[in-house]
Amino acid sequence: GFETGPNFSGVLLLRAEPETRKILEGLAAGLLLKDDGSFTKTNEEGNVFYSLKDEAFASPQDNGLILFSKSKPMIKQAAAVLAGKSKNLRRSKAFADFPPVPDGFIFLAVAEGFQDNLPIPAEAKVLKKADGAQVVLGESTGNVFVNIALKAKDSEVLKQIQQVVEGMIALASLSQSENKELQQLVHSIKVVASEKVICVAAAYPVDSLITRACLMIAEKQKPHHAPKATSAEKAEETEKPEPSAGNDK
C-alpha cells in the first residue's frame, strides 16, 4: 500500500558506486569520532546500522545498495527480502504486469493504492483510476531518463488514461512552443500502452540538466531588490536644503 504523513516508514534504496560508498563511509567515520551519542554504529543480525539520534537509520549492503529508513525493523525486513530470506515481488502478482527495470537506474518506486493521496488536478482525475504505478529514474548514454508505468484494471480505463497523458503532453508543447528546452523534453516523451499498463518514458541530456540547474541556482542567489536605505541615510536626504529659484545673479 501507499502511505503518507509523518509516520510513514518506507525504505529508500540507494545504489552507490564504490567511490561514492567510500566517501559516505568516511563521513560516517568522522561523525562517529565525535562520540557524543547522536550518531552510532551497531551490528545486528549480520547487518551494519548507522543511527542518527535513533530517528533515522542507514544500512549498507554487500550488493552495493544502501538502505535508508526512519524504522530499523523496516530496514531489516528489506534486507531479508534482498537476501532472499523473505517474500519479494517476484512471488507476488501485484506488480507482475510492470515492465522490467532498465540498467542504470538511480531511483525506483513501486506502489499500489497511491492515487487517493496525490494532488491530481480535476482535468486529469481519470489518473485516480490507476491501480498501481512504477517510477524509475536513472542515467544512460549521457541522458537522464524517467520511466513511469501506470496499471489499470481494464482496457477502457487504460485508454482514458492514455488520452489524458497524450493531451497533457500536447498542451505543454503548444503552450510553450518558444521554450526550446521544454520542446526537447516533450519530443523525447514516448507513450506506449499494453493490455493492462501504460508506459511513459522521457529523456534529457545530463549536460543540459546540469547547466539548467546551475543557472537556476545562480538566479536564486541574485539580489531581487535594491538595498534599502538606512534610517541615517533617510534623515540626511530629508535635511538636504532645496535649491531656491531666482537667487542666482
Side-chain angles (χ1 to χ4, degrees):
F2 184 84
E3 298 178 65
T4 59
N7 296 323
F8 172 61
S9 57
V11 179
L12 172 66
L13 281 68
L14 175 67
R15 186 181 297 277
E17 296 295 329
E19 291 302 318
T20 304
R21 182 160 173 159
K22 287 180 182 179
I23 293 172
L24 294 175
E25 289 177 345
L27 292 173
L31 292 172
L32 289 171
L33 286 175
K34 291 184 178 181
D35 197 25
D36 58 1
S38 62
F39 190 78
T40 59
K41 177 182 178 181
T42 58
N43 194 316
E44 301 178 27
E45 302 174 10
N47 292 310
V48 174
F49 287 93
Y50 293 96
S51 170
L52 179 62
K53 298 181 180 180
D54 286 330
E55 296 178 356
F57 303 89
S59 178
Q61 304 294 299
D62 294 335
N63 57 6
L65 291 174
I66 304 177
L67 311 183
F68 297 89
S69 180
K70 293 168 60 177
S71 167
K72 186 185 287 186
M74 288 290 289
I75 289 184
K76 290 182 178 180
Q77 182 179 345
V81 170
L82 292 171
K85 299 177 181 178
S86 182
K87 291 183 179 180
N88 56 38
L89 294 180
R90 291 181 181 177
R91 302 181 191 180
S92 172
K93 296 181 180 180
F95 305 112
D97 297 316
F98 288 123
V101 178
D103 294 332
F105 80 90
I106 300 171
F107 174 80
L108 168 66
V110 186
E112 284 193 324
F114 67 95
Q115 59 273 24
D116 293 331
N117 298 288
L118 295 182
I120 297 174
E123 58 270 20
K125 62 181 180 181
V126 69
L127 296 179
K128 287 183 175 288
K129 296 183 179 181
D131 297 321
Q134 173 183 279
V135 180
V136 182
L137 176 67
E139 187 272 333
S140 178
T141 63
N143 290 321
V144 175
F145 67 82
V146 58
N147 296 344
I148 302 174
L150 299 174
K151 185 175 69 170
K153 289 182 179 178
D154 57 71
S155 58
E156 183 60 32
V157 171
L158 201 67
K159 184 177 180 180
Q160 293 176 7
I161 293 175
Q162 182 177 359
Q163 289 173 340
V164 169
V165 171
E166 291 176 340
M168 293 171 66
I169 295 171
L171 180 61
S173 179
L174 291 173
S175 62
Q176 298 289 332
S177 58
E178 301 299 323
N179 189 329
K180 293 182 179 180
E181 292 181 344
L182 180 60
Q183 290 299 315
Q184 182 181 8
L185 176 61
V186 169
H187 290 156
S188 76
I189 298 176
K190 294 180 176 60
V191 181
V192 179
S194 62
E195 186 178 349
K196 294 183 179 180
V197 177
I198 178 172
C199 300
V200 183
Y204 195 74
V206 174
D207 293 341
S208 298
L209 183 64
I210 294 174
T211 300
R212 184 62 181 166
C214 291
L215 290 174
M216 291 176 65
I217 293 173
E219 187 66 26
K220 286 186 177 181
Q221 291 176 343
K222 288 182 180 179
H224 296 288
H225 303 286
K228 295 181 179 179
T230 62
S231 55
E233 290 173 337
K234 290 180 179 179
E236 183 180 349
E237 185 69 23
T238 304
E239 293 172 1
K240 283 183 179 180
E242 296 183 1
S244 301
N247 289 339
D248 295 337
K249 294 182 180 179

